[in-house]
Amino acid sequence: MKSSDLTIKQLTHLVGGGLTPRMVRHYHQLGLLPQPVRSRSNYRLYTKKDVLRLQRIVALKQQGFQLNHIRQILEVEPEADTTVNLMGQLQQQYRAVMQQISQLRQTASALEGLLGRDRHCQIIQAEVLAQLKLLDVETQAGLGGLENLWSGLDAEIHTHSEAFTESLQRLLPDLSHRSEIEQHLISQLVLACGDVSLVSFIKLSRDAIAASREALSSSCQIVVDTQTVAAALDQTRLLHLGCHIETLIDNPHITTATEAELAFWQHREWREKLHEVSQGCVLVVGYAPSVLLEACEAIANQKIQPALVIGMPIGFSHAPAAKRQLMQQGIPFITVEGTLGGGALAATALNALVESLIDKPHCHCYLKDVEPL
């Protein structure tokens, strides 16, 4: 046994990431990790090369890749022709995952249809639940019976308006560890898109709420990427606070993320305008990923110093990257991880902060020592 060799316990401790000896043995069985040499006492012995490969496996797994594709990724050399085949396989896996998401979304919708009912619907809701227990879905008649159950439940919605707050109480995860202002912000973002799963993607820095309230109370400048975002802001409340709205891509005909992204690249004056925003402003990006990327670079180079960045652009590669860069800048931020986002969500985030400040100007619940989302 060489002095540099590691036992399986030492290996898992060095790699970290929640790795266990049982997982390492499983990776051997799947072919993710080559079988190690054995000591005279039949103990597995690992090298620095094994450590590096395991670190890559753990990192890819944390990014969401499945084990069979991790093996394929690790086996493909950067310049190998098989890269094309691997990309095709990953595309197939993506489509399979999206199909699973669609099926889960259908299940979630069915549960929301039951759990999201307010007290006015509870009598019919209880009746539907009782009939669901007896439902035979193996026959076409049974499926028709299911449709009748939903029709009966849906008939009650015509008797009263929807109680959004009551529904959210049943559907949202436990947010009791969050401040009152953060709970309000999260609820408004969920209501803006109708997707409760958004909660797990919402990220805000520990100082985001405090920074927003200080900036808005000081009548800060509000800088948005497009006029569509500006139009969705609560301009009456912002006027009450003395906050002026400035639009970077100042063209009323630009209404989509595609148009905003292209326009920002083609017009140097809009990029220069971003570098001239006032110190302590609130920057709201809801469409163009390049605006957020440019802002992050300007912040890193100390060219601009916003009090808060609400970064929620739409996109499938640049937007997730821009959001990751935002979270690394060390400034107050609110964002939605991944491809999710849009002008409505970005504007909703600011509107929720403004509403909380005006309605509860002396609230200090956000100063509690809580973990960032």
Side-chain angles (χ1 to χ4, degrees):
M1 175 178 177
K2 300 177 182 177
S3 59
S4 59
D5 289 339
L6 301 170
T7 65
I8 193 169
K9 186 175 181 180
Q10 292 171 327
L11 175 73
T12 56
H13 178 74
L14 185 60
V15 173
L19 191 68
T20 65
R22 182 177 181 180
M23 293 168 65
V24 173
R25 290 190 287 269
H26 183 55
Y27 295 161
H28 284 310
Q29 293 174 350
L30 294 177
L32 269 170
L33 191 65
Q35 289 291 340
V37 297
R38 296 270 185 167
S39 69
R40 291 182 177 179
S41 303
N42 203 33
Y43 286 104
R44 292 180 173 90
L45 299 178
Y46 297 90
T47 64
K48 291 182 179 179
K49 186 177 180 180
D50 294 319
V51 172
L52 179 59
R53 187 174 180 90
L54 267 174
Q55 287 174 335
R56 290 173 177 168
I57 292 171
V58 171
L60 288 169
K61 188 178 178 183
Q62 289 175 343
Q63 288 298 311
F65 287 98
Q66 294 189 3
L67 293 178
N68 59 328
H69 287 107
I70 291 176
R71 181 179 62 251
Q72 294 166 357
I73 290 171
L74 293 179
E75 289 175 352
V76 172
E77 296 296 329
E79 303 299 328
D81 293 338
T82 51
T83 299
V84 176
N85 294 331
L86 174 61
M87 292 303 294
Q89 293 173 359
L90 293 178
Q91 188 175 42
Q92 290 180 352
Q93 178 62 27
Y94 173 75
R95 290 170 179 165
V97 169
M98 292 306 296
Q99 185 175 8
Q100 292 171 0
I101 290 175
S102 176
Q103 293 170 347
L104 289 171
R105 182 65 260 178
Q106 290 178 349
T107 302
S109 296
L111 292 171
E112 287 163 353
L114 293 171
L115 296 174
R117 302 286 168 163
D118 51 44
R119 57 186 176 84
H120 296 287
C121 297
Q122 286 180 352
I123 296 177
I124 294 181
Q125 181 187 49
E127 181 181 339
V128 169
L129 287 172
Q131 293 183 52
L132 281 175
K133 294 180 180 180
L134 305 175
L135 186 64
D136 180 9
V137 295
E138 298 298 328
T139 65
Q140 193 63 37
L143 294 175
L146 182 58
E147 290 295 326
N148 291 334
L149 290 180
W150 285 116
S151 297
L153 185 56
D154 290 342
E156 186 65 18
I157 66 175
H158 298 286
T159 64
H160 61 282
S161 60
E162 182 159 352
F164 289 105
T165 302
E166 187 178 339
S167 296
L168 280 178
Q169 288 176 347
R170 293 192 180 94
L171 298 174
L172 286 175
D174 181 19
L175 299 175
S176 59
H177 61 293
R178 310 309 307 173
S179 71
E180 184 179 344
I181 294 175
E182 289 171 332
Q183 291 181 37
H184 175 68
L185 170 65
I186 295 167
S187 297
Q188 293 305 302
L189 287 172
V190 169
L191 285 173
C193 66
D195 188 352
V196 179
S197 68
L198 183 75
V199 174
S200 61
F201 297 98
I202 299 172
K203 303 296 177 183
L204 60 150
S205 60
R206 184 186 299 273
D207 52 352
I209 302 299
S212 70
R213 291 172 76 86
E214 182 178 352
L216 292 169
S217 298
S218 302
S219 303
C220 67
Q221 181 187 41
I222 307 296
V223 182
V224 301
D225 56 343
T226 69
Q227 289 194 6
T228 305
V229 176
L233 294 179
D234 190 338
Q235 302 195 31
T236 300
R237 283 192 170 104
L238 286 171
L239 181 63
H240 173 76
L241 293 172
C243 296
H244 170 69
I245 302 173
E246 183 74 26
T247 305
L248 289 174
I249 305 175
D250 196 11
N251 184 337
H253 300 293
I254 295 175
T255 58
T256 68
T258 303
E259 294 169 342
E261 180 74 356
L262 184 61
F264 188 73
W265 271 101
Q266 291 180 337
H267 296 83
R268 180 181 297 273
E269 65 269 22
W270 287 335
R271 296 200 295 274
E272 293 174 349
K273 191 176 180 181
L274 175 60
H275 292 172
E276 296 170 357
V277 300
S278 62
Q279 181 175 344
C281 69
V282 172
L283 178 60
V284 184
V285 182
Y287 282 95
S290 290
V291 172
L292 186 56
L293 286 169
E294 186 80 12
C296 288
E297 184 176 353
I299 292 168
N301 294 328
Q302 299 183 340
K303 293 182 178 179
I304 63 173
Q305 191 176 354
L308 172 72
V309 177
I310 299 175
M312 300 182 183
I314 301 172
F316 302 101
S317 59
H318 289 54
K323 294 168 184 177
R324 286 193 291 268
Q325 289 191 24
L326 171 62
M327 291 187 282
Q328 297 169 0
Q329 293 304 314
I331 64 167
F333 68 83
I334 301 174
T335 189
V336 177
E337 284 185 313
T339 63
L340 301 172
L345 282 179
T348 296
L350 182 61
N351 289 341
L353 295 172
V354 171
E355 180 185 356
S356 295
L357 175 61
I358 292 178
D359 292 350
K360 300 178 180 180
H362 304 297
C363 178
H364 300 295
C365 61
Y366 58 92
L367 297 178
K368 294 188 300 182
D369 186 19
V370 296
E371 293 295 324
L373 278 174

